[in-house]
Amino acid sequence: MSRIAYVSGRYCRQDEAVVSIEDRGYQFADGVYEVIAVHRGHLVDEALHLLRLARSLHELRIAAPMSDRVLRHVLRRVIRLNKVRNGSVYLQITRGVAPRNHAFPLVAFPQLVVTAQRAKPADPKFLAEGAAVISIPDLRWARRDIKSISLLPNVLGKQLAREAGAYEAWQVDADGFVTEGTSSNAWIVTSGGVIVTRKADHDILNGITRLVVIDLAAKAGLRFEERAFSLAEAKTAGEAFLTSTSSLITPVTRIDGAKVADGVPGPVTMMLRRGLAEHLDRLADGA
Amino acid sequence: MSRIAYVSGRYCRQDEAVVSIEDRGYQFADGVYEVIAVHRGHLVDEALHLLRLARSLHELRIAAPMSDRVLRHVLRRVIRLNKVRNGSVYLQITRGVAPRNHAFPLVAFPQLVVTAQRAKPADPKFLAEGAAVISIPDLRWARRDIKSISLLPNVLGKQLAREAGAYEAWQVDADGFVTEGTSSNAWIVTSGGVIVTRKADHDILNGITRLVVIDLAAKAGLRFEERAFSLAEAKTAGEAFLTSTSSLITPVTRIDGAKVADGVPGPVTMMLRRGLAEHLDRLADGA
C-alpha cells in the first residue's frame, strides 16, 4: 500500500501527492525543511527542530502555516498513518503558490508537506569499518545556516561522493577549512583528544545532532573546541566523524582515499555514538 | 478561462497543473529553466535559449526529456493554446521524481513544465525615467552560469529591491565588483562612451539578451569592453542599463538612491534599445 503524505490540509496517498507547478518551492527553491528522527515512536529532539524551523522561516520571512501545536499533531498523525516506529519524518514549508515573479507575492499561503519513512537498518559492516569521505570545494551560497530547499550544490556534492565510492563529501572553503558535509556536520578528534567542530555561523547549518553531541561531550567532561579545522588537520587527526539526524554519529575512517589515523573508528567517536544512542533511548523512555 | 500548461506529456489547466511532492525540483531545486520572449508570435532567439538550456542540463547531468524538435513543438503549442502573441514562454526541467535522497536517483525521468504568459504593456513613464537599482552583496553559489531553479538568493535580493522602491538589485562580489542583477545582466557606459559588461564566466549567467546586445554594439561599431566594473565605477558612469529577456534593455538612472550622470536614460542606452527592438522585428519578419 502507498505511504500517506500530508499536503496542505489533506492526508493523501504519497504516490498521488502533488503541489502546484506555481508553488514557489518548485520554481524558486523558496522554502525550508526539517528531518526529525523517530525512535521507538518518539520524535527525537522535536523541540529543537521546531525551533530551528521557526528560525529558518523567520530568516526567509515566510509565515508559519500553523501553530507548533497543530504541526506536532500533523507530524504524529503522518507517523502513525505510515506505522513508522523507527525512521524519520520530513517536513517542507514553501512560501506558497503565486504567479511566477522573483519578489515575494503580495498574497500567498505557505504550503506544508509532511512525509514519514521507516529507517533502513544500518549496515553493521559500514559501522565497523567507518565511512569514507572526499573533499570538494564549497560552492554554496552564503546563508547555509538557513535550512532551505535550495540544495542543488549539496546534490552535486553528494553525487561526487557516491561516484568516488564515498559516503559523504566534506566541503572546503576558500581558506582550506572544512565547512561541513552535504547533509551532515564534520568533526575531528585531535591526536591530543580534543573534539573539534566548526562554529555555527552563516557558513554551516547548525545541526541538531551537532548540538546534542556538543552537550553530550560537555556532560562527559570531554575536551571540546568549537573552531574551524583545515582539511590538512582532518587528514592527520586522531579520529574523524560526522553527525546528522539520519546517520547519528558515523565514524569517518578515510578522507580522499587516505586512512584517518589507523583507519578504524576511534574510541572517542564510538563513546559519543553510545552516548547518543542512550540519549535517544532516554527520550523515548520519557526520562 | 484558465491558462493552459504543459506538464510532462499533458496539456492541462494551469490552475490545476501539478507535480509530485517528490519531484526533485521541489525537494532539492534540482532543475533548470528558460524564459523565451514571444514577439508577434515569434520565439525570440529560441536557438540560443535552447543551446543554453542544453548546456545547463549538461552541467547538471540531467538528460533532455525530449529532442529540441519536439520541445519546439510543445513551446509553440503552449503559446498557441494561450493565445500569446507578445509575451513569454517559461520552461522548467527537473531531474524527475524519486524517493528523497541527495544523490542522483538511479532511475528518474526528467520532467518538463511549460507555461506561457502575455506581456504586460511597459509603463512609458518607467522607460522615460529609467529604473532605480540598489546594490546588495552577492550571496549566491559559485555556479551562476547554470540557469538553475536554485533561485532563493535571487528572490531575497529582488524583494530587497522592491522594498527599497527599486526595480532591481545589483549584486556585488567580495572585491566590490558588480556581478549582475537578480534576474538581469548589468551594464554601464563609461563617460568616454565605452559600453561595459562583465565577462560571462561562472560568476554570472550568460544572458541571451546580453549576447544579442554585444552583437548589436559590434555591428554598430560601438566601443565595447567585456570586463568587471566596480559599484563605484557604476555610480560615476556616463550611463547604466540592464538587460533581460522580459525587460529587454532598461535604462538605470539611479543606483543606491543617487543619480547616474544627470539621472535620465542615456543616448547609447536608448540607441541600443532601439537596435534591440529592430532585432526583434527582424526576427518576427523572418528576415
Side-chain angles (χ1 to χ4, degrees), chain A residues 50-65:
Chain A
L50 296 189
L51 206 63
R52 184 173 64 183
L53 174 66
R55 183 181 179 280
S56 295
L57 290 170
H58 175 79
E59 291 296 314
L60 299 186
R61 294 192 276 156
I62 297 175

Side-chain angles (χ1 to χ4, degrees), chain A residues 42-199:
Chain A
H42 178 85
L43 280 102
V44 179
D45 295 313
E46 182 184 24
L48 291 174
H49 282 279
L50 296 189
L51 206 63
R52 184 173 64 183
L53 174 66
R55 183 181 179 280
S56 295
L57 290 170
H58 175 79
E59 291 296 314
L60 299 186
R61 294 192 276 156
I62 297 175
M66 57 184 64
S67 69
D68 270 11
R69 198 180 62 81
V70 176
L71 177 57
R72 283 167 179 263
H73 171 77
V74 171
L75 298 178
R76 276 159 186 73
R77 184 144 176 211
V78 173
I79 289 168
R80 210 163 53 237
L81 287 169
N82 289 285
K83 300 184 174 62
V84 171
R85 190 165 155 75
N86 292 293
S88 61
V89 61
Y90 172 83
L91 74 98
Q92 171 169 351
I93 297 173
T94 61
R95 197 180 303 277
V97 176
R100 188 177 185 278
N101 196 329
H102 284 68
F104 300 171
L106 296 180
V107 180
F109 301 99
Q111 303 290 304
L112 169 67
V113 168
V114 182
T115 61
Q117 34 280 316
R118 293 182 193 168
K120 298 180 198 104
D123 180 352
K125 180 162 168 286
F126 176 69
L127 253 191
E129 294 184 358
V133 303
I134 60 168
S135 65
I136 59 172
D138 198 331
L139 304 180
R140 296 174 301 160
W141 74 319
R143 292 299 307 273
R144 303 147 189 172
D145 56 311
I146 302 171
K147 198 167 173 72
S148 85
I149 55 172
S150 200
L151 290 170
L152 182 54
N154 307 58
V155 161
L156 299 177
K158 187 73 94 180
Q159 178 64 15
L160 290 177
R162 173 79 52 93
E163 290 169 5
Y167 177 72
E168 178 61 293
W170 278 5
Q171 298 167 105
V172 179
D173 68 20
D175 299 319
F177 291 95
V178 174
T179 53
E180 60 188 330
T182 65
S183 64
S184 59
N185 287 120
W187 302 68
I188 57 170
V189 183
T190 68
S191 51
V194 181
I195 300 165
V196 181
T197 200
R198 190 169 177 130
K199 189 164 159 284

Side-chain angles (χ1 to χ4, degrees), chain B residues 32-50:
Chain B
V32 302
Y33 75 105
E34 284 289 334
V35 181
I36 307 177
V38 180
H39 181 64
R40 293 168 35 204
H42 178 85
L43 281 102
V44 179
D45 295 313
E46 182 185 23
L48 292 174
H49 282 280
L50 296 190

